Amino acid sequence: MKRTFALAVVVAVACAAAACGGAAPASKAPEPTAYPAIDGKAVLEHTKILSSDEFEGRAPGTHGEDLTVAYITDHFKKAGLKPGNPDGTYIQKVPMVGIITDQKAVLSFRRAGKEQKLAWRDDFVAWTKRVADAVSVAKSDVVFVGYGVQAPEFNWDDYKGIDLKGKTMVVLIGDPPVADPSNPSELDPKTFGGKAMTYYGRWTYKYEMGQKMGAAAVLIVHETEPAGYPFAVVQGKTAEQFSLVAPDKNMSRAAVEGWISLDQAKKLFALAGKDFDAAKKAALDPTFKPVPLGATATVALRNTIRTIDSQNVAGKIEGSDPALKNEYVIYTAHWDHFGIGVPVNGDTVYHGAVDNATGIGGMIEIGRTFAKMPTSPKRSVLLLAVTGEEQGLLGSGYYAENPLYPLDKTVGVVNMDALNVYGKTKDITITGYGNSDLDDYAAAIAAEQGRVVRPDPEPEKGGFFRSDHFPFARKGVPALASGGGIDYVGKPAGWGKQKSDDFTANHYHKPSDVVRADWDMSGAEQDLQYYWMLGYRLAQADKLPGWKAGSGFKR
Ligand SMILES: [Zn+2]
């Protein structure tokens, strides 16, 4: 059931004629109920251009970035969007540092005259986020901190009575897999989300805790299952890594951050006269206390560094309500991908067509649809094409720390990362379903489209923490990650999952993520109508959306 934008126009015009504006309370304006037509062909054209060889895989700090930022700015203007930065431009500069760590480093643990040497890449991978040519840690006391979690809401603190300043913290990946007391074969859904990963399980959290505790080094023990990926993925973290540059040049971060293999962790515990598996088990108890291993760690890293200003691109539609126009609905989509890299089947350009040229194409067309309305929504809408998502949510993270408009005036964030290119679906996936009121908006709109909402099928992978809505959520702004489905109209059961699994296995983050002849953009159109309506209703809402109790987030 597809209705056209024409009806919305009629409603809005009728509203103007009936003096809905002026002295009448703006909140009485009737809601347009029609879904706009959004042109999938136009989205496909943007996607083809942005993912072409010419755009060189859109890596931050490259010619590909210059072309991409110019393209988005140009199309935002053509779509009728105003400059999104209050300084009158479409650009928010994002200062980043690119660091390549010299790959000859050795990490050694010593205790009582014995030494355990770990080889670079085979046994450990480490880097620094400090803007420094070299960092080192010498004879630093090693402390095992279990899962390294401090979570008052679960009465959990793995740092009881320890001063970690200058010390080396060895920490487990994942959040503590606490068994359900009433059914010990299952995880307790009331503690750390049961099977779903909470943010306490993410590797980024462990390094943030190391910084908070003043540790000199943070070494995560790699285990494939709770990490969600093999050690080979960790070993891949040896190319140039980009980070945001804090005013202190990141000097408050631990000097050394890294991973050690499970095998080496076991050897370290043996060196300390302890058993790794027993220590890991003890870390599941809320009474766990940090365990000094009586060993020291020594490592030195040399860096090649460059600093760049990457760019977020922002366009806006100014709200029509004089009071509410200072409040913002934000759409986010990342423009960056991996640039030119290691060849796969002879191709060196990481095209990032699905991920996320489609999201940017969709964002331009959503912007055009808003700009075409005879009367803008009450609140303003900001379209934010962010940089550095693939490097760790850098552009969105920078915006959340340095917002162009106050976050307490930001109604909600709708993220678009990879549109559906396989046709219409009967369902739509919401990651972290039940976190915020946005999910209710989303479910209502999906129902109007004749679709059902499907929660994230793999919550243990922590999808809610892995795209550009998350930095906003952390700051308390309700933010939604959703899109696509797996139940395709006119296709047999299992077809969608097969498509999605094939993409993940063969094309995700590989040069072969390209536009294909068999793409069906009707699914992208369906999702973009949903995204548009979500933003529109947030921009018109009587009441600001909030977080659900127990979500772990607060405004
Ligand atoms: Zn990606």
Side-chain angles (χ1 to χ4, degrees):
M1 192 178 67
K2 189 167 126 191
R3 286 169 286 179
T4 68
F5 190 51
L7 182 53
V9 173
V10 169
V11 173
V13 169
C15 171
C20 296
S27 61
K28 292 279 163 59
E31 300 280 336
T33 51
Y35 284 74
I38 293 181
D39 186 2
K41 278 206 273 332
V43 176
L44 183 61
E45 280 313 305
H46 297 307
T47 304
K48 281 182 182 165
I49 294 166
L50 290 165
S51 65
S52 65
D53 283 351
E54 191 194 348
F55 281 69
E56 297 180 356
R58 307 188 307 278
T62 65
H63 180 57
E65 162 161 4
D66 298 341
L67 291 179
T68 305
V69 167
Y71 184 90
I72 300 169
T73 306
D74 185 39
H75 283 269
F76 274 3
K77 282 183 195 163
K78 285 182 181 150
L81 302 182
K82 297 214 169 103
N85 191 324
D87 73 4
T89 71
Y90 290 85
I91 300 300
Q92 179 184 38
K93 281 188 185 166
V94 180
M96 288 185 192
V97 58
I99 297 177
I100 302 173
T101 301
D102 172 42
Q103 311 199 356
K104 288 186 202 110
V106 175
L107 164 66
S108 65
F109 297 120
R110 284 194 195 89
R111 179 173 175 264
K114 282 194 203 137
E115 186 179 25
Q116 173 191 358
K117 278 193 174 174
L118 289 80
W120 177 262
R121 206 160 186 277
D122 289 344
D123 302 328
F124 84 107
V125 168
W127 60 86
T128 186
K129 298 275 180 184
R130 293 186 176 181
V131 184
D133 295 329
V135 295
S136 62
V137 167
K139 295 185 191 159
S140 154
D141 289 330
V142 181
V143 180
F144 174 61
V145 297
Y147 289 88
V149 169
Q150 209 164 45
E153 70 276 33
F154 299 124
N155 285 316
W156 200 281
D157 182 6
D158 286 328
Y159 299 92
K160 293 175 209 78
I162 190 84
D163 178 1
L164 281 175
K165 284 198 185 63
K167 294 179 184 165
T168 292
M169 161 178 149
V170 171
V171 61
L172 301 169
I173 189 66
D175 44 27
V178 178
D180 187 342
S182 59
N183 179 9
S185 66
E186 297 281 323
L187 294 181
D188 183 358
K190 292 196 204 71
T191 312
F192 299 110
K195 183 179 169 232
M197 189 197 279
T198 65
Y199 187 63
Y200 300 114
R202 289 281 287 162
W203 56 275
T204 47
Y205 171 77
K206 315 289 179 182
Y207 297 128
E208 287 161 11
M209 284 309 288
Q211 175 178 22
K212 186 176 168 194
M213 295 291 156
V218 181
L219 299 171
I220 301 176
V221 178
H222 179 268
E223 292 183 83
T224 300
E225 199 193 322
Y229 38 80
F231 197 62
V233 170
V234 171
Q235 290 170 323
K237 288 180 86 73
T238 52
E240 182 174 35
Q241 287 194 61
F242 285 97
S243 309
L244 294 176
V245 186
D248 72 348
K249 304 266 185 223
N250 303 344
M251 296 310 274
S252 63
R253 292 195 68 121
V256 174
E257 299 176 357
W259 294 81
I260 57 175
S261 68
L262 177 58
D263 206 35
Q264 292 295 325
K266 289 183 173 172
K267 286 187 183 150
L268 166 64
F269 275 72
L271 180 78
K274 296 191 179 350
D275 179 59
F276 174 79
D277 292 318
K280 189 179 155 187
K281 201 165 165 225
L284 278 179
D285 194 304
T287 64
F288 169 85
K289 285 203 191 83
V291 184
L293 294 183
T296 62
T298 299
V299 61
L301 303 175
R302 301 201 65 78
N303 290 324
T304 308
I305 293 176
R306 62 173 179 141
T307 51
I308 60 163
D309 276 332
S310 191
Q311 297 154 97
N312 289 337
V313 189
K316 81 169 176 182
I317 295 104
E318 195 161 271
S320 57
D321 182 288
L324 294 180
K325 72 177 189 183
N326 295 318
E327 297 181 355
Y328 283 80
V329 175
I330 299 185
Y331 285 91
T332 49
H334 73 89
W335 59 253
D336 68 299
H337 200 57
F338 290 100
I340 292 174
V342 183
V344 179
N345 296 329
D347 194 354
T348 56
V349 177
Y350 285 64
H351 296 90
V354 168
D355 180 16
N356 186 29
T358 55
I360 293 296
M363 173 177 269
I364 292 168
E365 295 311 310
I366 280 190
R368 189 188 318 282
T369 308
F370 274 117
K372 275 203 301 212
M373 295 177 78
T375 305
S376 300
K378 293 177 197 170
R379 295 189 177 85
S380 297
V381 176
L382 188 72
L383 296 137
L384 188 64
V386 293
T387 179
E389 190 268 354
E390 307 285 17
Q391 304 285 335
L393 318 182
L394 301 185
S396 51
Y398 184 80
Y399 185 98
E401 291 295 335
N402 306 273
L404 296 173
Y405 305 96
L407 292 184
D408 61 4
K409 300 270 184 205
T410 303
V411 179
V413 171
V414 179
N415 187 47
M416 299 183 290
D417 192 353
L419 296 184
N420 167 20
V421 292
Y422 307 123
K424 288 189 184 181
T425 61
K426 296 184 236 173
D427 58 350
I428 188 156
T429 303
I430 297 186
T431 307
Y433 186 61
N435 275 339
S436 83
D437 296 338
L438 301 193
D439 297 2
D440 303 334
Y441 280 82
I445 294 165
E448 288 165 22
Q449 291 184 312
R451 298 202 278 179
V452 295
V453 161
R454 184 185 295 277
D456 182 0
E458 296 176 299
E460 67 278 14
K461 289 191 176 168
F464 192 69
F465 317 115
R466 295 170 92 159
S467 192
D468 293 306
H469 55 284
F470 180 59
F472 291 89
R474 284 194 97 180
K475 290 281 178 183
V477 181
L480 182 73
S482 64
I486 53 167
D487 189 2
Y488 282 79
V489 174
K491 303 285 183 197
W495 186 86
K497 176 148 194 324
Q498 192 193 322
K499 275 286 190 197
S500 151
D501 289 351
D502 172 64
F503 180 80
T504 306
N506 300 316
H507 309 304
Y508 174 69
H509 288 186
K510 297 201 172 106
S512 60
D513 176 6
V514 295
V515 173
R516 284 169 206 281
D518 66 349
W519 279 16
D520 175 350
M521 297 303 283
S522 65
E525 288 179 353
Q526 187 188 31
D527 280 2
L528 289 168
Q529 289 181 314
Y530 153 96
Y531 288 131
W532 183 90
M533 189 57 89
L534 197 53
Y536 176 75
R537 289 199 184 152
L538 289 172
Q540 297 292 93
D542 290 333
K543 185 168 140 271
L544 291 190
W547 294 97
K548 306 278 192 199
S551 69
F553 299 99
K554 272 207 297 276
R555 251 204 201 272

